[in-house]
Amino acid sequence: MKRFFKPIDEGNSSNKKANLSHDSEKDGTLIAEGDKARTEPLKFVTWNANSFLLRVKNNWPEFTKFVSHLDPDVIAIQEVRMPAAGSKGAPKNPGELKDDTSSAREEKQLLMRALSVQPFGNYRVWWSLGDSKYAGTALLVKKCCAPNKVSFSLDGKARKHEQDGRVILAEFEKFHLLNTYAPNNGWKEEENSFQRRRKWDKRILEFVTQSSNKPLIWCGDLNVSYEDTDVSHPEFFAAAKVNGYVPPNKEDCGQPGFTLAERKRFGTILKEGNLIDAYRYLHKDKDMDQGFSWSGNPVGKYRGKRMRIDYFIVSEKLATRIISCGMHGKGIELEGFYGSDHCPVSLELSPNES
């Protein structure tokens, strides 16, 4: 499928602008030049930050230490929760941070300052943002590993961002990398609940089954726990409900992310897309200490209730290259979550020998 890509307008003056070829500008495709020494990314991190700005304000030293130690080539962020540029009532630019008010400028400056110092100064950042402080994704890629193209929608239409900034797609020399923040299934048979998630899963299935000459690495908060081993308490999550509401279809019953309907659809996506779950490929058994990426509130009925909803899903042809895939948080006290309710998940591949 022909894909179209739109570059981000760099808001960080400390980053040098890439030399861009405009030969294909008419169709929205821009290709970076001058990076002949680019290296293939091999180490990846995905993390739902649950507000990137709050993490910068409250947890940045610890997260900086984590990144410095792991030294990933690519960092995929979900739930950025920063609004897109554009004044009230005007069209928004989802590729840029809002800065048309004094408070928005302060928040943008705080975030960009944090990303300008080491180790983050080694990365270029792309944003896909919602209209408000909701959802949104970011992609940080080491400058030495610059992608060939970047876009922001599943259908690849020129200059289009997905609603709420839920997608960033980067094409590298040897593979595509898809960073997504899947919409939560919710609890009811409503447009912004079950129906929205069904539509999302349908579009993801269409995306992964499209022919491509490159394998796929799909990461992010996918908001689904596929197997019983992916949740700490299967019976609790299967029986979960809100205000006594019981969906008309029994396959929609239970905790969002653990309903039978969602799990079946996810299984179809994996099968039809010839994809594997990198973590489960290496770790067959349930790990009650460090096998989950999301943890419920330490206070209340969700204390100790955990789910694995953040993934690295890869094409089957990449299976033999998987060196490691793991969670970096553990325990019910959210150690290694850096202030979020999700912990970072990492993937490392061996070099491509072809």
Side-chain angles (χ1 to χ4, degrees):
M1 181 190 74
K2 187 174 183 180
R3 301 181 192 267
F4 298 91
F5 303 85
K6 177 181 181 299
I8 190 168
D9 181 8
E10 301 256 6
N12 184 355
S13 60
S14 65
N15 291 339
K16 295 181 180 179
K17 292 184 178 179
N19 181 20
L20 297 172
S21 168
H22 295 268
D23 294 341
S24 303
E25 187 173 9
K26 63 180 180 296
D27 68 6
T29 301
L30 296 173
I31 303 172
E33 294 178 338
D35 293 315
K36 294 182 179 179
R38 283 181 291 179
T39 58
E40 181 188 24
L42 298 174
K43 297 176 72 174
F44 309 84
V45 164
T46 183
W47 184 40
N48 179 321
N50 192 18
S51 176
F52 207 18
L53 182 65
L54 284 180
R55 304 293 76 82
V56 168
K57 288 181 177 180
N58 301 325
N59 312 94
W60 206 239
E62 296 86 357
F63 185 65
T64 297
K65 185 177 180 180
F66 166 77
V67 171
S68 297
H69 175 73
L70 195 66
D71 194 28
D73 300 315
V74 176
I75 305 172
I77 303 292
Q78 304 86 43
E79 269 205 276
V80 172
R81 288 169 57 180
M82 291 288 286
S87 57
K88 186 176 181 179
K92 301 298 190 289
N93 182 351
E96 294 185 8
L97 296 164
K98 182 180 176 66
D99 63 357
D100 63 315
T101 66
S102 58
S103 60
R105 282 191 293 273
E106 289 177 4
E107 291 179 345
K108 177 179 178 178
Q109 290 170 1
L110 179 62
L111 197 55
M112 298 314 294
R113 278 198 299 268
L115 292 174
S116 68
V117 299
Q118 298 303 333
F120 301 101
N122 295 327
Y123 297 81
R124 182 179 174 185
V125 59
W126 286 264
W127 307 98
S128 189
L129 307 169
D131 292 348
S132 61
K133 287 187 175 181
Y134 172 72
T137 52
L139 188 70
L140 286 71
V141 181
K142 277 187 177 178
K143 295 170 185 176
C144 63
C145 301
N148 297 336
K149 302 175 184 178
V150 177
S151 69
F152 307 93
S153 69
L154 291 173
D155 56 21
K157 290 184 178 179
R159 304 184 182 280
K160 178 183 177 181
H161 286 246
E162 290 290 336
Q163 184 177 0
D164 302 325
R166 292 186 180 274
V167 169
I168 301 181
L169 174 65
E171 180 181 346
F172 294 90
E173 194 66 27
K174 300 294 184 181
F175 59 83
H176 291 96
L177 183 134
L178 177 65
N179 171 23
T180 67
Y181 175 38
N184 188 284
N185 191 56
W187 297 91
K188 294 186 177 183
E189 185 59 68
E190 296 176 344
E191 183 177 352
N192 289 325
S193 188
F194 296 164
Q195 296 173 28
R196 178 178 68 164
R197 182 54 187 260
R198 290 188 197 113
K199 292 176 182 177
W200 171 269
D201 288 342
K202 182 176 182 291
R203 294 186 63 214
I204 288 288
L205 177 61
E206 292 170 350
F207 176 86
V208 302
T209 53
Q210 291 164 356
S211 60
S212 174
N213 60 345
K214 295 181 180 181
L216 175 68
I217 299 174
W218 173 27
C219 67
D221 177 357
L222 308 191
N223 258 321
V224 62
S225 293
Y226 183 40
E227 301 174 348
D228 283 2
T229 50
D230 295 322
V231 297
S232 60
H233 299 77
E235 296 81 7
F236 172 86
F237 288 116
K241 63 179 67 173
V242 169
N243 299 326
Y245 175 79
V246 178
N249 185 341
K250 65 179 182 180
E251 290 192 351
D252 290 319
C253 295
Q255 178 75 26
F258 196 62
T259 66
L260 186 57
E262 292 171 276
R263 296 163 68 187
K264 282 184 174 180
R265 293 195 299 266
F266 189 66
T268 300
I269 290 169
L270 296 181
K271 180 180 179 181
E272 298 298 322
N274 297 313
L275 301 168
I276 62 171
D277 174 355
Y279 176 81
R280 194 56 69 199
Y281 179 77
L282 298 178
H283 309 277
K284 308 300 183 185
D285 300 324
K286 179 183 288 191
D287 181 347
M288 286 297 292
D289 186 46
Q290 201 166 349
F292 310 105
S293 63
W294 174 88
S295 185
N297 194 316
V299 178
K301 69 177 182 179
Y302 275 87
R303 176 177 174 81
K305 308 301 190 299
R306 292 162 289 164
M307 307 175 74
R308 187 172 71 94
I309 57 177
D310 303 85
Y311 291 78
F312 278 97
I313 303 296
V314 305
S315 295
E316 290 176 350
K317 61 183 69 175
L318 292 176
T320 58
R321 294 183 57 192
I322 300 173
I323 294 176
S324 65
C325 185
M327 315 290 146
H328 291 270
K330 63 180 182 179
I332 63 176
E333 302 300 334
L334 308 185
E335 179 183 344
F337 282 64
Y338 307 108
S340 176
D341 52 350
H342 297 246
C343 71
V345 181
S346 67
L347 170 73
E348 183 174 0
L349 300 179
S350 62
N352 186 7
E353 297 179 356
S354 61

